[in-house]
Amino acid sequence: ITNNNNNNNNNIPKSNSWSSLTSLTTEATDYYTPDELSMADGDLPTVASDLRPTSDGSGVRHFTIVTTAALPWMTGTAINPLLRAAYLSNMNANYTAAAAAAASCEETSSTVTLVVPWLESAEDRVALYGDSWRDATPDDQEEYMRHWLAQTCCSAASSTSIQIVWYAAKYHARYASIFAMGDICSLFGEQQLDVCFLEEPEHLNVYRAPGKRLWTDIFRHVVGVGHTNYVAYVQKESLVASAFMYGISAWMVKAYCHKLIKLSPVLQTYAPEKEVVSNIHGIRTEFLHV
């Protein structure tokens, strides 16, 4: 995952294209392979946007994944971010375990945090999850998510290694969507954190507390993942509203993300200088069996 020249760290080498090697700093050759440097065109990864761990485990990145839904709601923004968290946790575990063994010490704490909505209203939980969830607690839902990950995806290790954090939210049946009831950024305090995946950044930022720190202030590198065509949602009600949604969504991506991955080209154009189209989730075997 790469980043254009939009980064707050002035010490990180930046360039718009591989083709202009003269724009590279001398330190760039320490970060990239000869094959990468010889690419004819494409974005230049920076120190902040290169998410790969170093071979000795000393450079493992710490990931925070923030999404708009959670199991047991079987929707893409609940399942795919959970699987992403599991994958990144497993990827890091191979390096942190080796580093800990070499240093003769215990492995460090979780390197992946998944931030998901907690529906405070019992009626909302019943509407989405069924009547058995009326009196459920966040602990019950967390147990469900970890069990699903361990049993359905055969990922027992990552099901226990991921840290799960909740934010207060409400379900709006009109848009079949969950929205935060406050400023999610406030969960992170004054910390300076590493990498953030914003699953549906335009959706997550419907509410933003004025005067608070931005995602790009909190995290060294922010990657948005575009899942849903919200312009098409709103277009059913009003063309004027859809035009407003188009503009505000583009503004949110530009303001809060260093890079955006769109799952499909049918999604609107948010920020051409930042976005790519990639089916990063692939296709699950269960889908092919249907």
Side-chain angles (χ1 to χ4, degrees):
I1 297 171
T2 60
N3 179 28
N4 286 312
N5 57 350
N6 184 1
N7 198 294
N8 294 329
N9 190 335
N10 294 326
N11 296 322
I12 295 174
K14 306 178 181 74
S15 174
N16 286 329
S17 172
W18 290 102
S19 58
S20 179
L21 294 183
T22 56
S23 65
L24 298 176
T25 65
T26 57
E27 292 82 3
T29 54
D30 296 332
Y31 303 131
Y32 313 117
T33 67
D35 287 341
E36 290 173 326
L37 292 172
S38 64
M39 289 176 66
D41 195 11
D43 289 339
L44 171 63
T46 67
V47 176
S49 68
D50 189 345
L51 307 186
R52 299 167 296 182
T54 56
S55 58
D56 62 0
S58 61
V60 169
R61 306 299 298 270
H62 289 70
F63 302 99
T64 301
I65 301 170
V66 188
T67 190
T68 57
L71 296 181
W73 192 13
M74 293 295 173
T75 187
T77 50
I79 295 172
N80 290 323
L82 180 58
L83 296 178
R84 192 180 340 283
Y87 170 82
L88 292 171
S89 181
N90 288 338
M91 177 186 73
N92 279 351
N94 296 328
Y95 294 90
T96 55
S104 300
C105 63
E106 295 183 1
E107 290 186 42
T108 57
S109 58
S110 174
T111 60
V112 180
T113 299
L114 180 63
V115 184
V116 290
W118 164 250
L119 295 177
E120 295 185 317
S121 166
E123 287 71 22
D124 286 349
R125 295 196 297 274
V126 170
L128 277 184
Y129 311 147
D131 192 63
S132 62
W133 288 87
R134 181 178 300 276
D135 299 318
T137 67
D139 289 341
D140 295 329
Q141 193 165 355
E142 179 173 336
E143 181 180 359
Y144 181 97
M145 293 168 63
R146 294 188 188 279
H147 182 267
W148 183 89
L149 194 58
Q151 299 299 317
T152 306
C153 301
C154 302
S155 185
S158 60
S159 68
T160 58
S161 62
I162 299 168
Q163 180 183 7
I164 296 177
V165 174
W166 302 91
Y167 64 86
K170 182 169 181 56
Y171 175 65
H172 289 262
R174 180 177 180 179
Y175 298 108
S177 298
I178 295 174
F179 293 97
M181 295 289 286
D183 184 16
I184 302 175
C185 289
S186 64
L187 294 173
F188 309 111
E190 298 301 316
Q191 302 178 73
Q192 182 67 46
L193 302 176
D194 195 7
V195 179
C196 181
F197 285 88
L198 293 180
E199 311 284 342
E200 301 193 313
E202 74 282 35
H203 184 155
L204 288 167
N205 289 286
V206 167
Y207 175 82
R208 282 286 299 123
K212 300 295 184 179
R213 292 197 302 161
L214 305 180
W215 295 99
T216 49
D217 296 328
I218 299 170
F219 293 93
R220 187 181 181 195
H221 189 62
V222 180
V223 180
V225 181
H227 292 253
T228 307
N229 190 342
Y230 285 107
V231 172
Y233 267 47
V234 179
Q235 200 169 41
K236 299 175 183 177
E237 299 186 5
S238 166
L239 290 176
V240 174
S242 67
F244 175 79
M245 175 63 72
Y246 189 101
I248 200 69
S249 296
W251 178 80
M252 288 179 183
V253 168
K254 290 181 179 181
Y256 302 136
C257 300
H258 294 115
K259 196 72 179 179
L260 176 74
I261 302 172
K262 299 197 302 187
L263 301 186
S264 167
V266 302
L267 300 183
Q268 73 170 80
T269 298
Y270 299 90
E273 73 280 7
K274 296 185 176 185
E275 63 187 50
V276 295
V277 177
S278 178
N279 179 23
I280 56 175
H281 296 141
I283 301 175
R284 289 180 57 77
T285 304
E286 288 87 342
F287 177 84
L288 298 177
H289 288 166
V290 174

